[in-house]
Amino acid sequence: MRGMRLLARLVAIGIVAAAASSDVFARAAARQAVTVGIVLGGHASAAARLVPALIAEANLIWRPRGVQIVSVTEDSVPHEDVRLTLNFASLSLAIPSTNGSKGERTSGLGSIWFDEDGIPGDTITIDDAAVMVHIARATVNNRPLADWPPAVADHVMGRALVRVLADELGHYLLRSKMHQARGLMRAVF
């Protein structure tokens, strides 16, 4: 009987020690994370209603790499390491032609500005209309997205927007304009 009590105490001490050490490791890991606060700026786009979900999913993408993405308000007390503004706006550019005519228009999906020293700015712009054009061409189970219920279109739009946001965050965090051939940092949708 006495041996059982001793064994129970040892097990309890082991559990407390394990809990305490995992708590210490969790706090250490949390301190190592870079926190990026995203504040919504610019005009109220239809995509703005998706921002909480975008930030939550961008956090899931970047969190394993030591980056925490959170939503902040313009007037909140800064507790994040980095504060970026997310705007929804057109990124259409007129490409001049060689013969002097207006040229064709192209559109990027997302953008972050870099200065002449290669330092990224603090504003990410996503062209939600261009993203919508891209996903409107997509099919789900061989049916155009327009044939699906609005909830499916919202889900697909959200997934596309978060990939653009995560890519632009990558440019900021990696301090690089470069794209990769595959993965999150690829140049194509």
Side-chain angles (χ1 to χ4, degrees), residues 82-93:
V82 175
R83 181 179 290 211
L84 300 175
T85 300
L86 174 61
N87 288 324
F88 293 98
S90 174
L91 295 172
S92 294
L93 303 169

Side-chain angles (χ1 to χ4, degrees), residues 71-185:
S71 179
V72 295
T73 60
E74 190 63 49
D75 58 349
S76 67
V77 177
H79 67 278
E80 59 277 348
D81 300 307
V82 175
R83 181 179 290 211
L84 300 175
T85 300
L86 174 61
N87 288 324
F88 293 98
S90 174
L91 295 172
S92 294
L93 303 169
I95 309 261
S97 68
T98 55
N99 65 8
S101 66
K102 248 185 167 178
E104 63 181 81
R105 295 184 68 79
T106 63
S107 179
L109 301 179
S111 173
I112 187 164
W113 176 81
F114 282 79
D115 70 13
E116 58 276 353
D117 295 325
I119 307 296
D122 62 357
T123 300
I124 292 174
T125 303
I126 296 177
D127 189 336
D128 52 322
V131 172
M132 188 59 161
V133 166
H134 278 281
I135 66 168
R137 297 177 191 149
T139 60
V140 178
N141 291 337
N142 293 323
R143 289 176 47 201
L145 195 57
D147 290 353
W148 287 89
V152 174
D154 277 355
H155 177 75
V156 173
M157 179 70 166
R159 295 295 300 239
L161 288 171
V162 81
R163 293 304 184 255
V164 174
L165 175 60
D167 175 78
E168 296 309 319
L169 283 168
H171 290 297
Y172 179 87
L173 294 166
L174 300 170
R175 301 218 180 299
S176 172
K177 299 178 194 179
M178 303 301 291
H179 284 101
Q180 302 295 318
R182 298 181 324 172
L184 178 64
M185 297 307 296

